[in-house]
Amino acid sequence: AKESGRNTYTFYTTEITHTLFEKMLMENELRRAIDAQEFTLFYQPQIDMRTGKMMGVEALARWEHSGMGIIMPDKFIPLAEGTKLIIPIGRQLLEIACVQTKAWVDKGLCGPTWKTAVNISAIQITHDDLYEAVHAITQKTGLDPHYLELELTETYIMQNPKVARALMDKLKKLGITLAVDDFGIGYSSLSYLKQFPLDRLKVDRSFIRDIPEDLDDMAITKAILALGKSLGLEVLAEGVEDAVQKEFLLSQGCFLAQGYFYAAPVPAATLEKPQEKFSW
Ligand code: C2E
Ligand code: CA
Ligand code: CA
Ligand code: CA
């Protein structure tokens, strides 16, 4: 502010240019990584806490960069969405998830209700023909779509209710199931929610994190469980980290969970090794 208008202008210009330049470099890197097929999936178990049985997995994106090692999704998904490169990346990831799940099914590891849940960004839904992509990829890989679940966010569903509803109906006809991700932090209109062919709510981990210290979070979690029950939806708790949270959820009739208490996301091969807290 002490500098002249012109200097200030120059300063901002330089900074903006710098940011754009970095974004351009990153975008080129993303394009190269798509060609080099550097994107991969880790899998986090979804457990029936009553039995310790793995009912499915959530597939989570990782970038295995040739020089920089493993890059987490928070570091590249936002730019991939901003540049729409999430579309080709999302298709690659969906195919990887289907190939892997098919391999597990062929090994006899998956029960009839097994789900491999794949995250779908709003950009993929609005700018890609998601129905065509899911149909083509399940055909190509030979995976029965019943084993596939798509995780959508509240924001997308509520912003484009008509389009969302039509797409969801088509996807359901393929046999795939639909989950609402990060439930509770968006702007869901509850009256809307029941109009959609949803199968599952995933309680955002911010509500689970401070259980049992935070009484408000416990009340919200109970309310979401009651809502799910009255709408006939399955409810899965995300981010379960300890036995107290597990026992609270079980006492409230919530059986499905995901979280570090059971396992962090791991490569497919790791998941197949014997585990202490859950079984296939
Ligand atoms: P998300 O869909 O909510 O995924 C759950 C995140 O919580 C994962 O982070 C997971 O590693 C982490 N998590 C699981 N259990 C626990 C726990 O007990 N405690 C804590 N503190 N964290 C836990 P991750 O893998 O870093 O993914 C971050 C986000 O990136 C995802 O959040 C999702 O929004 C996005 N993402 C990941 N993979 C994909 C993808 O393939 N496509 C799209 N569009 N987005 C993705
Ligand atoms: Ca998710
Ligand atoms: Ca989530
Ligand atoms: Ca809290």
Side-chain angles (χ1 to χ4, degrees):
K2 278 176 205 148
E3 287 157 61
S4 73
R6 181 185 273 175
N7 279 343
T8 309
Y9 177 75
T10 307
F11 172 74
Y12 283 128
T13 308
T14 308
E15 204 170 52
I16 289 163
T17 309
H18 183 64
T19 308
L20 283 176
F21 183 65
E22 278 188 338
K23 277 195 176 154
M24 251 174 53
L25 285 182
M26 255 295 267
E27 184 174 343
N28 284 338
E29 265 300 286
L30 282 177
R31 289 184 195 283
R32 185 194 57 72
I34 293 168
D35 290 340
Q37 303 195 339
E38 290 183 350
F39 298 101
T40 183
L41 289 169
F42 277 26
Y43 300 89
Q44 185 176 34
Q46 299 181 326
I47 308 293
D48 184 332
M49 294 188 285
R50 295 171 297 185
T51 58
K53 192 172 159 57
M54 184 162 43
M55 305 308 289
V57 288
E58 178 177 3
L60 292 153
R62 299 290 183 266
W63 180 357
E64 288 186 314
H65 192 278
S66 48
M68 293 195 285
I70 291 184
I71 303 176
M72 299 300 282
D74 292 348
K75 296 275 184 288
F76 66 90
I77 297 281
L79 185 65
E81 289 177 336
T83 54
K84 298 199 174 68
L85 289 172
I86 192 67
I87 292 167
I89 294 170
R91 286 183 176 232
Q92 282 188 358
L93 292 173
L94 186 61
E95 181 163 341
I96 293 169
C98 290
V99 168
Q100 182 58 62
T101 306
K102 175 80 161 55
W104 284 330
V105 170
D106 289 348
K107 283 186 186 176
L109 290 169
C110 304
T113 62
W114 175 275
K115 299 295 170 195
T116 295
V118 175
N119 290 281
I120 302 293
S121 112
I123 304 290
Q124 286 170 270
I125 313 178
T126 39
H127 296 278
D128 192 10
D129 186 343
L130 192 65
Y131 175 81
E132 181 271 325
V134 171
H135 186 59
I137 292 168
T138 48
Q139 288 268 321
K140 177 181 172 190
T141 58
L143 179 72
D144 180 339
H146 286 96
Y147 293 113
L148 200 58
E149 179 159 280
L150 300 186
E151 296 192 3
L152 314 173
T153 61
E154 282 170 88
T155 316
Y156 163 71
I157 299 171
M158 297 306 161
Q159 276 173 357
N160 315 273
K162 273 194 177 151
V163 186
R165 173 75 206 264
L167 174 66
M168 288 161 87
D169 284 339
K170 276 170 77 181
L171 289 167
K172 289 286 296 183
K173 283 200 187 105
L174 282 180
I176 67 164
T177 55
L178 300 171
V180 184
D181 203 0
D182 307 335
F183 187 76
I185 60 168
Y187 352 64
S188 273
S189 143
L190 302 183
S191 62
Y192 261 162
L193 206 60
K194 65 169 193 269
Q195 302 173 19
F196 296 96
L198 293 164
D199 299 283
R200 180 180 284 183
L201 301 180
K202 297 190 74 180
V203 184
D204 190 70
R205 76 166 184 273
S206 61
F207 300 116
I208 308 298
R209 187 182 48 216
D210 299 327
I211 292 175
E213 290 81 18
D214 192 319
L215 299 179
D216 292 338
D217 287 347
M218 287 168 77
I220 292 168
T221 301
K222 281 189 198 180
I224 295 175
L225 290 169
L227 173 73
K229 198 171 185 185
S230 68
L231 293 178
L233 300 174
E234 259 182 4
V235 181
L236 181 147
E238 293 192 287
V240 175
E241 294 189 351
D242 60 43
V244 175
Q245 293 166 349
K246 173 192 162 185
E247 292 308 328
F248 169 75
L249 290 162
L250 277 173
S251 76
Q252 298 303 316
C254 177
F255 306 127
L256 286 171
Q258 218 182 302
Y260 296 166
F261 177 71
Y262 289 100
V266 290
T270 308
L271 203 59
E272 290 175 37
K273 293 178 188 148
Q275 304 285 333
E276 186 196 331
K277 286 195 178 129
F278 62 90
S279 58
W280 283 81

